[in-house]
Amino acid sequence: MNALDELGKAHPFIQIAVSIFKAGLTLELTRRENDEKVIALNLTMCDMMQTLTLLKQVVNVKEPGPGGLSIEDRLKQRLGSIIDSIKRCAKVCDSYQKRPTAVKFFTSTKWQGKFTQVAQQFADHKAGIQFDLQIHASVGITTANVTLTAMSTSFTELNENVSKLMEVVFERMRTPEERDLSALVAKEAGGIDAVLKNDKLLEEVLAKQKAGPRKDKDERGAKKRAVPGQTLDAVLTVTDLRMEVNKDVEQVLADNKFFDQKFEAMKMQVDEVKVEIRHESDRVIDTILAGPHERIVDRDLYHVWKEMGWKGSVKAKHLVMALRDHFAEGSHAALAAIRVITQQKKDGSDPAAAAQAMEEIADIASRADPHASPEDEWALQFITVLRIQPLIEALDDDVSSFVTIAEANAFTAARPQKWSLPHWIAYWTYGFEMTVQWYFRRIRKVISEITQATVEALPANRKIIGDFISSWTVRWIEDFLSGLRDVEQWDSTDWESDVMFLKFKDYVVENERKLEHNLRGVKYYLDETNTLSIVAGSGRPEKYVMPLIFILLRRSLYIVQQAHTVTLHMGELAVIQYSLMILTDAIWDRVQTLKAVHKLQNLDDKEQMKKFFFGLYSFAFEEPEISDYWKRDPDDDANMVNDLPSIPPAPTSDGDSESQQGDLPLFHGPTTEDIDLIVDPTFDDPTSPHPTVAHSLVGHWSGSYAYDDRDGDGLVSFTVSSHDVNGAIVGSGTDAFGPYVVHGTLDDNRLTFVKEYLLPQYGQKVMWRYEGVVSPDSDSIRGQWGPTDVDWKLVVYGEEPEQETGAKEEASSDVSAQQPKAEETTTPAAEVPEIRVDEAEDAHSGEDANEDHDDDGASDAGTAVSGMTVGYIHGTFFLTRRPVEYLISCPPDEEFAANRPRALWKLALNATLRAVQSRTLSWGLLSARRKQRQQYVELLKRRQRGPWRGQDVEDAQEWAQLIKGIHPGDLHLWRCIALYQLRRDVIHDTIYCDACRKSPITPTRFTCMNCSEDAVDNSMDLCIQCFSANRHVTRDKKVHHPTHNVIQYRTMKWRVYRHPTFSVGRDMLKWAEDQLQLSQARSAVQTTVGDTAGSSGLHCVVCKTSITAPPYWCCLTCNEDSAVCYACNERMEREKEWLYLRGTFAPNGTGPHNWSHTLISAPGPEVITAETDQEKAGTIEERIARVEAKLDASNLKLDARLAALEDLLRAVLAR
Ligand SMILES: [Zn+2]
Ligand SMILES: [Zn+2]
Ligand SMILES: [Zn+2]
Ligand SMILES: [Zn+2]
């Protein structure tokens, strides 16, 4: 590298290639784990760049050679393509490494090809460079000539056959996982192809990758989530795997769009002229080394090291103690020594002795210099035994408990230019803790601001923001922060003017600015650990974790604020979530290292974690305990810190300082919801045009499609409007995703068409390619569908597997005979004209096609050559030349199987009935449709939350049954309604009902205050049904009773708010009780005295009726203390206002009470549960009796009551 750097300086024209080369290489070297194959590829790149160093021997690069061109001219011509190759190499490596292990394994042949291609480019460039140099060598650069020949021979062998080289590389350098996989494949007859067809085996493969070394932290409702350290394979399904395996490598490269950004960020970092910071106290290192200490740069450290007689490394604790002694006592000791010398020589007038004394004093002074400096005096007080722990952590980067000379030098070199060593040490013993405490408050402030901003967000963004808040990565931040020790000790610190903090603040703020600048460079997206090290630098995460969390959350705040006016794109907050996940990965690694060290040293891990990094790692991956953290109100923290004045633009040379100011705009344009796109749902032309050609497809069709692993989205209707003599067909139709058009060709019985939706989905134009076979009577079409841009081919089911060679021969003859269209990717098996067509009268729906799926798999076996050519297919489809009404009215297959005539009769009846109904639009039909729609919307919402797996069989069956009976025109509208609701639903993700185990709870969550008092995670929660039914719950040793006080949430809440909410809740209950007692006492007075004051007491803030006894609710959100009656709250539940309204429209949460407010219940003393009527009557009678008794008593003891009232009034007023 250094040689190349020098070369770049000497010959500026190659500098750009050098820096791009360095960027590419650094990217690979900073990766956490590197694949040896990638390293091998990078070596071929290094080899090529090595050839450039031969330039050194060229005396004058500008001297024209044969043909009039100088070496510089010649090389310049090559440079462009060399740079392209380097970039490509980096992209190939990056994309390859990002593939999940299983995918890498199954696609290894493809990647081997790509690697070979890149390596070949490097070999070509190398040969080219050598050629250029040799031309000049022949003219007379003799020295170069010699070296050239030597070099070219040494590498010829390698370059002779690049493809052979890569073959060997891919064969030998397999990762252990890949070796395991190939052992598995070897066991299976038929090799890779057979494994790829075998669902069970693939599940196994994925399960093995999932099992990884890391434990699943979040057990509650975390089934579909990645967890720190989980491999990429963990979230992969068999379908995904097949799809990924079949993706073309070029496609993978094209999809890796983020790479260019990342590469640019890396290049910027490499290009940044690394100014060697020289500190005043730095020593000039002698070239002749006397001992290990001679390599130490800092003067103080050098003296300490030398005096102690240490070798290459020293125990961290000893070093820190010695430094403390050196600084704390050094200045005094030096003064004392000087005093001794001056006293000794005072009387002597010998000039030689005086000169010697001067020399001695100078020596002492120079040694003592930095620590004697008065401006560092303040720092010394912080270098004490009590504060050495963070200093040890800073010096001992790898937690080996030893500090090497390299670590010591790195430590001193890292300090800001103007800081002395004592200043730097004081930063670590004191300033760093201040910094962490400062960030702690600033992070909690952002959390509080996000919470407030969430209230104002458009309803359409509710789910997106809710998902973010309840994601485990964001929850992790709270767990992590809850470990911080000694928080209260810093509560009174004034972060703006604290004298000590100001000594460090500039440095801290500058670091934050750099970090933010880098994060912007990659658009806040940390896709991998190596991007994290580009952004935050390598080394221990303690240095950057707090500011990084802060900046990422501040970005989230900005996004949530934008959500007030814009419908957010799903990706906007997901990026932050992903980046946080990469951060937790780095911390996971760090914590594992620490654990291992503790184990090695026989230390109590829990105790050590409490000490290390101020305890912040204590709960990072452990169940958090209830602590002061959870009881602090984030809003209080928000008052302790101010916002920084907007950070000034960085003095960068790239001139984009403009983009430094203010927040970067949202990365995705605002989303338009599907429901806003509906224009005209009626698309079908009921009058089918007449056929114009024989076997014409013109006319009305209907049918359905299915996915590989589940049922489809419902019925499809479709009209072919033209079918010309050349086989070109044009049509249009509608399905659940709205209207679409179709263009395609019919070639013999093979139909290929592209279905293009007219409305964008998630902001994108969507197209699918369909390939099918038309039945001989042109009455039905069956086939498969998939993406348009991926190379897949139709496989016709019902085919017997054939011998590989046989299929190939057949293929060549068939292909030539049928002259397939250019865009068709037909295949041998697909050409076979015979297909099994079921009885025409049988109705076929999505499930049917699904059942055929296994057959499809089997038929692939013979035709696939390497396992790579089997196309990825999204699913199957079926179309029949019938009106949609036919399919809707059709009884299920089982009925046909059981009794065919009766089923046909039923079909006729159903169809007639529907026809009659649709003309009369009876109430019965309307309400049936309404029910059907509700069912559809509910099921679709559940389906959207995650693909159905084994546990949701009932849902899947219900869905399959339901979608068979819905008209495509309705389907689209209903789907839009479901998606509309989905974005707005209040979903308490990760929370389940402790009574009925339903998860997630939606939309209203009831958390018992009495049972959740000492819980961080395992709060006692109920769903609306269980709460309304007054259910008792027993969990662990806790028994929840309906008389407990319950908090009602209709918004997503960060966990940090739970306990502060409890304490506000308690205050409110007390207030309400007082109000009740007051009015009770008053009314007692009134009954006798006849007073007319009436408006006091407790009233429902909504309906204004007076509340005289529990049960009632108290609102914790309304600015005024207010109560709500049960009836009003239940009405809000029924009216589902959250689907249309924001939490509040008024700023600062003022304004009338609404559905989003958090309430606390004051349940009645005895809640009427599901008892028998007699028991119920009993309790009511009892209550009446008690009230009467009370009244009697109050009448009897009027005087006493009046006295009590006075006391009570005084008490209330005093509060
Ligand atoms: Zn429940
Ligand atoms: Zn309870
Ligand atoms: Zn009311
Ligand atoms: Zn309210």
Side-chain angles (χ1 to χ4, degrees), residues 993 995-998 1022-1023 1025-1026:
C993 171
C996 68
R997 316 296 294 176
K998 196 182 89 180
L1022 294 171
C1023 68
Q1025 285 83 12
C1026 296

Short mmCIF file of all heavy atoms in Angstrom, two decimals, residues 993 995-998 1022-1023 1025-1026, ligand 1:
data_model
loop_
_atom_site.label_atom_id
_atom_site.label_comp_id
_atom_site.label_asym_id
_atom_site.label_seq_id
_atom_site.Cartn_x
_atom_site.Cartn_y
_atom_site.Cartn_z
N CYS A 993 -52.59 -11.12 25.16
CA CYS A 993 -53.55 -11.06 26.26
C CYS A 993 -53.26 -12.20 27.23
O CYS A 993 -53.17 -13.36 26.83
CB CYS A 993 -54.97 -11.18 25.72
SG CYS A 993 -56.21 -11.39 27.00
N ALA A 995 -55.16 -13.38 29.42
CA ALA A 995 -56.31 -14.22 29.70
C ALA A 995 -56.59 -15.19 28.55
O ALA A 995 -56.72 -16.39 28.76
CB ALA A 995 -57.53 -13.35 29.96
N CYS A 996 -56.62 -14.67 27.31
CA CYS A 996 -56.99 -15.56 26.20
C CYS A 996 -55.80 -15.87 25.30
O CYS A 996 -55.95 -16.58 24.31
CB CYS A 996 -58.14 -14.95 25.39
SG CYS A 996 -57.66 -13.47 24.48
N ARG A 997 -54.62 -15.35 25.60
CA ARG A 997 -53.39 -15.60 24.86
C ARG A 997 -53.40 -15.06 23.44
O ARG A 997 -52.55 -15.40 22.63
CB ARG A 997 -53.03 -17.10 24.82
CG ARG A 997 -53.19 -17.83 26.12
CD ARG A 997 -52.25 -17.34 27.20
NE ARG A 997 -50.84 -17.61 26.89
CZ ARG A 997 -49.83 -17.21 27.64
NH1 ARG A 997 -50.06 -16.51 28.73
NH2 ARG A 997 -48.59 -17.50 27.31
N LYS A 998 -54.38 -14.25 23.11
CA LYS A 998 -54.45 -13.70 21.76
C LYS A 998 -53.30 -12.70 21.56
O LYS A 998 -52.96 -11.94 22.46
CB LYS A 998 -55.80 -12.98 21.58
CG LYS A 998 -56.17 -12.71 20.14
CD LYS A 998 -57.50 -11.97 20.07
CE LYS A 998 -57.26 -10.47 20.14
NZ LYS A 998 -58.49 -9.66 20.06
N LEU A 1022 -54.56 -7.32 29.05
CA LEU A 1022 -55.83 -7.94 28.66
C LEU A 1022 -56.31 -7.32 27.35
O LEU A 1022 -56.02 -6.16 27.06
CB LEU A 1022 -56.88 -7.69 29.73
CG LEU A 1022 -56.66 -8.35 31.09
CD1 LEU A 1022 -57.67 -7.84 32.08
CD2 LEU A 1022 -56.74 -9.87 30.97
N CYS A 1023 -57.03 -8.11 26.59
CA CYS A 1023 -57.65 -7.57 25.39
C CYS A 1023 -59.04 -7.04 25.76
O CYS A 1023 -59.51 -7.26 26.87
CB CYS A 1023 -57.75 -8.64 24.31
SG CYS A 1023 -58.90 -9.95 24.69
N GLN A 1025 -62.02 -7.92 24.89
CA GLN A 1025 -63.03 -8.93 25.24
C GLN A 1025 -62.84 -9.41 26.68
O GLN A 1025 -63.78 -9.48 27.46
CB GLN A 1025 -62.95 -10.15 24.29
CG GLN A 1025 -63.51 -9.91 22.91
CD GLN A 1025 -62.51 -9.23 21.99
OE1 GLN A 1025 -61.33 -9.13 22.32
NE2 GLN A 1025 -62.98 -8.74 20.84
N CYS A 1026 -61.59 -9.74 27.00
CA CYS A 1026 -61.33 -10.29 28.33
C CYS A 1026 -61.53 -9.24 29.41
O CYS A 1026 -61.95 -9.54 30.52
CB CYS A 1026 -59.93 -10.88 28.40
SG CYS A 1026 -59.73 -12.27 27.28
ZN ZN B 1 -58.12 -11.71 25.80
#
